[in-house]
């Protein structure tokens, strides 16, 4: 929606308690949306750890299936990269044969180990990124990926890894897997030889709650993504999964919303506000995206406004053009605000309040009926 919806409001110091109490029911719909954004990754793609099989099959070790074991010293250290280093590369041969995946733990340190059949690690590239935290591992020369096993994160297999998935749309003969991490994980990559292996070492980190503005595409399924990916050529993009388990491309992140809007507008892309390690939202169409922006704007007005009249003015401008779903969420928000509203100094226009329910062909709540004359 357009910026003309922004409404300047004053926030009294003593309003917070009243607003929080009055919005409990009214924000139910918005809360469900926020919970979906945070938890869908856990329910749809984070509760299950998807373990990939590379070039004939990654074999799940007994240690990974039966929780974890103490971290042993295996092989000779070849390279150790800096903590949370954005891009690391190494290895000395194209991957072939069987790659074994294990998960190990010692205290609050965990590590995922990819063990190759030869004395040296196969060629690899690992990229670390935040908001949300991910490690994306590219293995040239591996192919024929299949799902071998599903392991519930609820069994405490890992305290840092939300999910492991194979990313679609990459070049033939290359396997790409992505680890989606919790916000309290730091990452360090290590390479070993005799036997060759790649270790992703996870240790505790401070939780980041900064807000970024992601310039991104719509969401696509695995079959649609290759065509979208090809349209960006050699441009640097990040593939991510959303709350619905679909995929999208992220081109950049900005700390300032205006910069993100400018960049997105030039390229015909979306801007998603993302805080901390929130699961990205699924947008299958521009209509879904615009609706989400509109409802976010409404709830911002609802929470920040110190007068019922400001909320009613916003609804008066936009309610008739809103979709049925948008109207339903707006009425939920308005109901929650009005039920416990105790500011006797403001005269509420109950006729206008009732008109919104009538426009949506919904029955008037009891507290509205009691005030309509």
């Amino acid at each position: 929606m357009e910026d003309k919806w922004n409404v300047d409001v004053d926030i009294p110091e003593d309003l917070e308690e009243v607003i929080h109490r009055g919005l409990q029911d009214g924000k139910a719909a918005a809360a469900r949306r926020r919970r979906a954004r945070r938890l869908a990754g856990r329910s749809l793609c984070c509760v299950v750890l998807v373990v990939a099989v590379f070039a004939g099959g990654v074999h799940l070790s007994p240690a990974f299936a039966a929780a974890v074991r103490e971290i042993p010293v295996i092989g000779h250290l070849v390279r150790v990269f800096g903590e949370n280093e954005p891009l690391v590369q190494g290895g000395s041969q194209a991957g072939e044969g069987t790659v074994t995946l294990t998960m190990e733990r010692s205290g609050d340190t965990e590590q995922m180990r990819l063990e190759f059949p030869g004395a040296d690690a196969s060629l690899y590239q690992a990229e670390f990124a935040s908001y949300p935290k991910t490690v994306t591992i590219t293995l040239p020369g591996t192919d024929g990926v299949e799902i071998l096993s599903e392991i519930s994160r609820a069994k405490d297999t890992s305290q840092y890894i939300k999910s492991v998935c194979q990313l679609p749309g990459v070049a033939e003969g290359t396997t790409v897997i992505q680890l989606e991490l919790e916000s309290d994980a730091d990452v360090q990559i290590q390479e070993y030889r005799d036997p060759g292996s790649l270790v992703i070492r996870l240790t505790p980190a401070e939780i980041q709650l900064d807000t970024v503005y992601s310039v991104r595409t719509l969401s696509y399924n695995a079959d649609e993504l290759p065509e979208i990916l090809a349209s960006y050529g050699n441009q640097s993009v990040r593939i991510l999964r959303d709350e619905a388990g679909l995929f999208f491309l992220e081109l950049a992140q900005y700390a300032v919303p205006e910069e993100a809007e400018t960049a997105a507008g030039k390229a015909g892309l979306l801007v998603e506000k993302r805080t901390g390690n929130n699961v990205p939202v699924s947008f299958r169409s521009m209509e879904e995206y615009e609706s989400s922006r509109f409802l976010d704007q409404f709830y911002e007005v609802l929470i920040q406004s110190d007068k019922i009249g400001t909320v009613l003015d916003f609804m008066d401008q936009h309610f008739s053009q809103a979709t049925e779903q948008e109207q339903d969420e707006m009425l939920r928000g308005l109901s929650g605000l009005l039920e416990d509203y105790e500011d006797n100094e403001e005269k509420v226009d109950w006729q206008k309040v009732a008109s919104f329910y009538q426009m949506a062909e919904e029955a008037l709540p009891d507290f509205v009926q009691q005030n309509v004359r």
Side-chain angles (χ1 to χ4, degrees):
M1 290 297 179
E2 301 178 3
D3 292 338
K4 66 182 180 181
W5 289 337
N6 289 321
V7 179
D8 293 327
V9 294
D10 295 323
I11 307 175
E13 295 180 358
D14 61 346
L15 185 63
E16 182 177 357
E17 182 179 353
V18 174
I19 289 296
H20 279 292
R21 185 175 63 249
L23 291 182
Q24 291 305 308
D25 293 332
K27 291 172 60 181
R32 287 197 300 272
R33 294 168 63 232
R34 290 195 297 271
R35 285 196 298 272
R37 296 178 188 183
R38 293 195 305 267
L39 303 178
R42 297 186 181 185
S43 62
L44 296 176
C45 64
C46 299
V47 169
V48 172
L49 292 180
V50 180
V51 181
V53 178
F54 314 116
V58 169
H59 290 297
L60 185 66
S61 81
F64 195 45
V68 289
R69 65 170 181 259
E70 291 297 303
I71 296 177
V73 177
I74 301 177
H76 303 288
L77 185 63
V78 176
R79 295 184 181 90
V80 55
F81 298 97
E83 195 171 77
N84 299 334
E85 195 160 335
L87 176 65
V88 302
Q89 296 174 313
S92 60
Q93 65 182 23
E96 58 182 0
T98 300
V99 180
T100 304
L101 175 63
T102 62
M103 189 74 185
E104 300 151 348
R105 174 183 297 162
S106 179
D108 57 5
T109 298
E110 294 180 7
Q111 65 184 34
M112 177 177 284
R113 180 185 296 270
L114 300 177
E115 188 169 323
F116 302 92
D120 298 302
S122 297
L123 295 177
Y124 64 85
Q125 173 178 293
E127 299 174 79
F128 172 82
S130 296
Y131 307 106
K133 279 190 177 182
T134 58
V135 178
T136 305
I137 305 168
T138 302
L139 300 171
T142 65
D143 206 350
V145 179
E146 61 179 296
I147 301 303
L148 175 66
S149 181
E150 296 180 348
I151 302 174
S152 173
R153 184 173 178 274
K155 295 180 180 178
D156 197 31
T157 301
S158 172
Q159 69 184 78
Y160 299 121
I161 300 175
K162 289 183 178 182
S163 69
V164 182
C165 72
Q166 179 197 353
L167 297 183
V170 297
E172 185 177 355
T174 297
T175 291
V176 180
I177 60 172
Q178 187 174 86
L179 280 66
E180 184 181 355
L181 305 176
E182 297 287 3
S183 59
D184 61 346
D186 277 334
V187 179
Q188 185 181 59
I189 306 294
Q190 301 173 350
E191 179 186 335
Y192 290 82
R193 75 180 312 273
D194 293 326
S197 61
L198 183 66
V199 171
I200 300 94
R201 187 177 180 87
L202 305 173
T203 53
E206 292 186 6
I207 296 177
Q208 297 175 316
L209 295 177
D210 296 335
T211 296
V212 299
Y213 297 86
S214 168
V215 177
R216 51 161 289 186
T217 66
L218 293 171
S219 299
Y220 302 94
N221 61 40
D223 294 330
E224 297 167 331
L225 189 66
E227 182 178 352
I228 303 302
L229 192 58
S231 67
Y232 286 90
N234 295 325
Q235 188 172 353
S236 177
V237 297
R238 180 186 181 193
I239 303 176
L240 287 169
R241 285 202 297 183
D242 65 23
E243 62 186 8
L246 300 174
F247 300 91
F248 66 92
L249 306 183
E250 181 180 77
L251 282 78
Q253 292 181 354
Y254 295 87
V256 180
E258 291 78 12
E259 294 179 359
E261 293 288 352
T262 299
K266 293 179 179 178
L269 297 169
L270 320 181
V271 175
E272 179 189 358
K273 180 180 178 181
R274 204 178 298 145
T275 301
N277 218 38
N278 284 359
V279 177
V281 182
S282 183
F283 297 120
R284 286 289 280 166
S285 67
M286 288 301 297
E287 290 75 16
E288 289 183 9
Y289 172 64
E290 294 294 346
S291 179
S292 176
R293 283 167 62 93
F294 169 66
L295 290 173
D296 286 344
Q297 183 70 46
F298 169 70
Y299 276 103
E300 182 176 349
V301 172
L302 191 71
I303 293 172
Q304 293 186 359
S305 297
D306 63 334
K307 297 293 183 182
I308 295 293
T310 303
V311 178
L312 296 181
D313 288 345
F314 181 95
M315 294 181 66
D316 203 28
Q317 295 177 52
H318 307 295
F319 194 83
S320 61
Q321 290 82 33
T323 66
E324 183 177 340
Q325 180 181 359
E326 290 167 352
Q327 289 182 348
D328 181 66
E329 293 207 25
M330 293 172 77
L331 290 177
R332 287 175 182 270
L334 180 62
S335 295
L337 183 62
L338 288 170
E339 277 188 299
D340 296 326
Y341 194 70
E342 299 176 355
D343 187 353
N344 296 323
E345 296 181 1
E346 180 183 6
K347 184 178 179 180
V348 176
D349 188 343
W350 289 103
Q351 291 292 345
K352 180 177 285 188
V353 170
S355 71
F356 296 124
Y357 290 92
Q358 293 164 353
M359 193 180 305
E361 298 182 348
E362 291 192 14
L364 295 181
D366 291 340
F367 70 90
V368 177
Q369 290 183 358
Q370 292 171 3
N371 287 279
V372 173
R373 297 290 183 267

